[in-house]
Amino acid sequence: MNLGNECPRTHSYLQIMENVVIIGTGCAGWTSAIYTGRANLTPLILSGTQLGGQLTTTTEVENFPGFPEGVMGPELMSRMQQQAEKFGARVEYKKVETMAKNDDGTFTLTTDGGEEIQTKTVIIATGAAPRYLGLENEMELVGHGVTSCATCDGAFYRDVPVAVVGGGDSACEEATFLTRFASKVYLIHRRDELRASKIMADRALANEKVEPVWDSAITKYLTDDEGEVRAVTLKNLKDDSESELEVKCVFVAIGHVPNAQFVGDLVDVDENGYAIQNAHSTGTKTPGIFAAGDVADHVYRQAITAAGQGCAAAIEAERYLADLEDGE
Ligand code: NAP
């Protein structure tokens, strides 16, 4: 095995053949980069449009081991990036549009700028994007009273009523966070029981500014003359009654959609779009392509489990490359 060279990438004419391309810069991506960097594989990381993944849109992370006082999400990501770069990882701000397998078993990634990148292995660590309600005019209202990020937008809504939609940990976390700014936070949930962990649910519901609105769904966003959200129409899902609720912003926290649209037929995805890994491995149906973190994990979806999978994918990619060198 010869992975300790000064420059382990292969140059053929002007085309560079990367050892490892990591797609995504969340916990899984950076951890893969730290491990493959330390293995002298000089990984290339393609960050897409949002450097740092989902933790850059969160506040304090209380449950990442090693930080008894907690750590801010963006700081944790920035530290992971520094650690990866220290070991030779290179970051490029490009988004992968398609992925194809070459005749020799290597891969061609095509970016949004039309550039083709050749690589022997790929680690898909693209995470998941926030899910929206799918209502008419919803996407046009993002930034005008509809958002998925309380950390980013909460401070714009001081002393006014806002709503959070969802019943999971994210919804409870966002509702609690928003009480710092808003005069009132309606927690709109489609059932009468929260899915969130007890500690997060208790914290949100104990806050006097948080008012749960059970068994309800938003059916319409209502806007003012400036095109900003001023209220929503609510439907009670038990008796079908409709009502209007005055809020200046709706924070949608109803889960995520995995970012695996670009994988083509090289990686199977399940009915919800999550990349399917081989049993007890981060490998996929295509040898040389690995998937790690929230793009493949609909069960745990934690920063630490994503980091763990990133580590596993890096080790598996390293072993795959070693087997290639050995001619296996
Ligand atoms: P989640 O646990 O999947 O919860 C999504 C919530 O949105 C559920 O309550 C669901 O309702 C509701 N929902 C889904 N589709 C909907 C729709 N179309 N209309 C209205 N409501 C809808 O997602 P999450 O809260 O983002 O959490 C994801 C993972 O991250 C979890 O594992 C969670 O523990 C973790 N997380 C942890 C922390 C932390 O520990 N600090 C913070 C945030 C997230 P139903 O309940 O009826 O299905």
Side-chain angles (χ1 to χ4, degrees):
M1 171 172 150
N2 179 25
L3 299 176
N5 294 339
E6 277 294 291
C7 182
R9 290 178 294 152
T10 312
H11 295 254
S12 141
Y13 300 102
L14 289 176
Q15 185 67 65
I16 290 170
M17 175 63 70
E18 302 286 348
N19 282 318
V20 190
V21 173
I22 297 163
I23 313 175
T25 51
C27 283
W30 287 132
T31 308
S32 303
I34 291 166
Y35 273 76
T36 50
R38 269 193 98 231
N40 271 355
L41 294 172
T42 53
L44 173 64
I45 300 141
L46 302 178
S47 76
T49 45
Q50 189 188 350
L51 187 70
Q54 286 179 60
L55 278 192
T56 54
T57 63
T58 191
T59 48
E60 194 171 359
V61 181
E62 291 177 327
N63 50 12
F64 201 89
F67 296 91
E69 287 85 29
V71 57
M72 298 305 280
E75 190 194 340
L76 182 60
M77 300 322 295
S78 160
R79 283 168 164 264
M80 285 191 192
Q81 176 170 1
Q82 286 170 41
Q83 200 172 349
E85 287 177 338
K86 180 175 135 189
F87 294 119
R90 296 159 297 136
V91 189
E92 291 184 9
Y93 301 88
K94 290 170 184 160
K95 189 172 172 212
V96 175
E97 299 263 298
T98 59
M99 209 165 70
K101 189 172 175 180
N102 305 322
D103 290 343
D104 62 358
T106 61
F107 304 98
T108 300
L109 307 179
T110 307
T111 69
D112 48 353
E115 185 190 344
E116 291 193 340
I117 296 169
Q118 311 292 325
T119 181
K120 293 177 194 167
T121 63
V122 181
I123 296 176
I124 300 170
T126 38
R131 190 192 296 280
Y132 282 91
L133 295 171
L135 296 175
E136 198 192 334
N137 74 350
E138 187 171 48
M139 291 335 270
E140 293 95 87
L141 287 173
V142 170
H144 300 279
V146 175
T147 175
S148 62
C149 179
T151 319
C152 320
D153 299 325
F156 297 126
Y157 297 94
R158 285 176 195 272
D159 304 320
V160 292
V162 300
V164 174
V165 190
D169 279 339
S170 299
C172 289
E173 186 175 61
E174 304 235 317
T176 304
F177 175 74
L178 288 166
T179 59
R180 296 186 198 182
F181 313 104
S183 57
K184 179 108 197 158
V185 181
Y186 296 100
L187 181 57
I188 301 170
H189 185 34
R190 62 184 178 182
R191 297 186 293 131
D192 62 1
E193 192 188 346
L194 294 173
R195 171 184 297 277
S197 56
K198 191 167 168 2
I199 185 170
M200 307 281 271
D202 287 351
R203 196 178 289 165
L205 295 177
N207 192 305
E208 57 184 17
K209 281 193 184 174
V210 175
E211 181 176 326
V213 182
W214 302 118
D215 301 309
S216 297
I218 294 178
T219 52
K220 242 185 242 164
Y221 295 111
L222 306 172
T223 53
D224 62 17
D225 293 344
E226 263 98 57
E228 300 285 326
V229 168
R230 65 168 178 82
V232 292
T233 305
L234 282 180
K235 182 177 178 180
N236 182 300
L237 299 171
K238 284 219 160 131
D239 62 16
D240 280 351
S241 61
E242 289 216 335
S243 59
E244 205 174 296
L245 182 69
E246 222 178 274
V247 288
K248 295 288 183 198
C249 190
V250 177
F251 294 83
V252 184
I254 60 167
H256 291 82
V257 184
N259 295 318
Q261 295 82 358
F262 63 92
V263 299
D265 57 6
L266 292 179
V267 176
D268 284 339
V269 296
D270 70 11
E271 67 281 7
N272 294 314
Y274 286 91
I276 297 177
Q277 300 160 318
N278 300 333
H280 311 299
S281 156
T282 62
T284 65
K285 74 170 187 183
T286 302
I289 301 182
F290 305 86
D294 285 14
V295 70
D297 171 23
H298 54 88
V299 180
Y300 303 109
R301 295 182 291 188
Q302 302 299 302
I304 188 66
T305 49
Q309 285 206 355
C311 162
I315 292 173
E316 290 180 68
E318 196 186 332
R319 289 183 183 157
Y320 173 87
L321 287 166
D323 287 346
L324 280 187
E325 293 231 343
D326 291 346
E328 284 179 24

